Amino acid sequence: MDDALNTIAQALLGQRLITQNQDKSAAPCPPTLPKASETLLTLNSPGKANITFGHFLSFLKAAFVATYRLRFQSLKQVVTHVNERRTKHEKLLHPFDNEQARILVNSFTTLRPLLPSRGQCLFNALALIEYLASYDIFPNWVFGVRMAPFIAHCWVQNKDVVFNEPLDHIASLTPIMVV
């Protein structure tokens, strides 16, 4: 048992996930993100979205890309790709249009039941990010936790506007990573 624990500890040390020297350990530094005060999610009328053929094709592409990335790439690779794309487009972005984003989120929410894996936040958030990217909208991908009882969750947010969750669903979560 000691040999197995030593092997695991050495592997973690080698990847710099743990340290033997407390002086060299980094203090936790949670990401800065404005407190959410608005949501684009329209719970009362997802069926009223005006879905175009373009929306449908963008939705299918986003779902395929999200499925592919989560199945064949590590989470680190997926996060790196999303971060690099967002950073690349950050300088080219026109002013953020909440109304356009609301329409797109509503169309995505309306189409979402067509695919399996409802309720999986990782897939839902990544598929929405891919969908919005096809319309040159690049919000943040937020990962958060709550300790008691433990919950890990992710969602899409731009500044204080949450795209795909009601505010009360994320109010008790602490963001630990913003992509």
Side-chain angles (χ1 to χ4, degrees):
M1 185 67 168
D2 288 339
D3 288 341
L5 289 176
N6 190 37
T7 301
I8 292 169
Q10 290 304 317
L12 293 172
L13 283 166
Q15 292 185 16
R16 298 177 53 191
L17 294 173
I18 63 172
T19 180
Q20 290 178 316
N21 185 345
Q22 262 189 310
D23 296 337
K24 290 185 178 181
S25 64
C29 183
T32 57
L33 185 72
K35 182 174 171 59
S37 64
E38 181 182 354
T39 183
L40 296 182
L41 187 63
T42 309
L43 295 174
N44 298 336
S45 60
K48 296 181 182 177
N50 185 15
I51 307 295
T52 66
F53 187 65
H55 289 139
F56 182 70
L57 289 179
S58 294
F59 174 80
L60 290 179
K61 178 184 173 195
F64 174 79
V65 169
T67 300
Y68 174 83
R69 289 191 187 287
L70 292 174
R71 181 169 289 165
F72 297 108
Q73 294 180 332
S74 69
L75 185 57
K76 180 179 179 181
Q77 290 172 311
V78 176
V79 166
T80 299
H81 168 77
V82 169
N83 188 47
E84 287 175 353
R85 178 178 59 196
R86 185 175 191 284
T87 302
K88 175 183 168 188
H89 288 92
E90 214 165 37
K91 295 175 184 169
L92 307 173
L93 294 179
H94 44 79
F96 188 80
D97 182 353
N98 273 355
E99 193 51 39
Q100 180 192 18
R102 185 181 312 280
I103 290 166
L104 293 171
V105 167
N106 200 20
S107 66
F108 179 88
T109 304
T110 300
L111 292 167
R112 182 63 187 94
L114 297 175
L115 298 175
S117 73
R118 279 185 286 184
Q120 295 182 2
C121 65
L122 188 62
F123 175 81
N124 289 337
L126 181 58
L128 178 57
I129 286 168
E130 293 296 334
Y131 180 72
L132 294 170
S134 65
Y135 295 95
D136 292 327
I137 296 175
F138 302 95
N140 291 307
W141 188 6
V142 184
F143 293 77
V145 296
R146 182 178 70 206
M147 296 312 289
F150 181 78
I151 293 174
H153 190 58
C154 63
W155 63 94
V156 179
Q157 182 171 337
N158 183 64
K159 297 182 182 173
D160 66 334
V161 179
V162 177
F163 284 50
N164 60 331
E165 293 289 339
L167 294 178
D168 61 336
H169 285 192
I170 62 164
S172 67
L173 300 172
T174 300
I176 59 168
M177 181 170 71
V178 178
V179 180

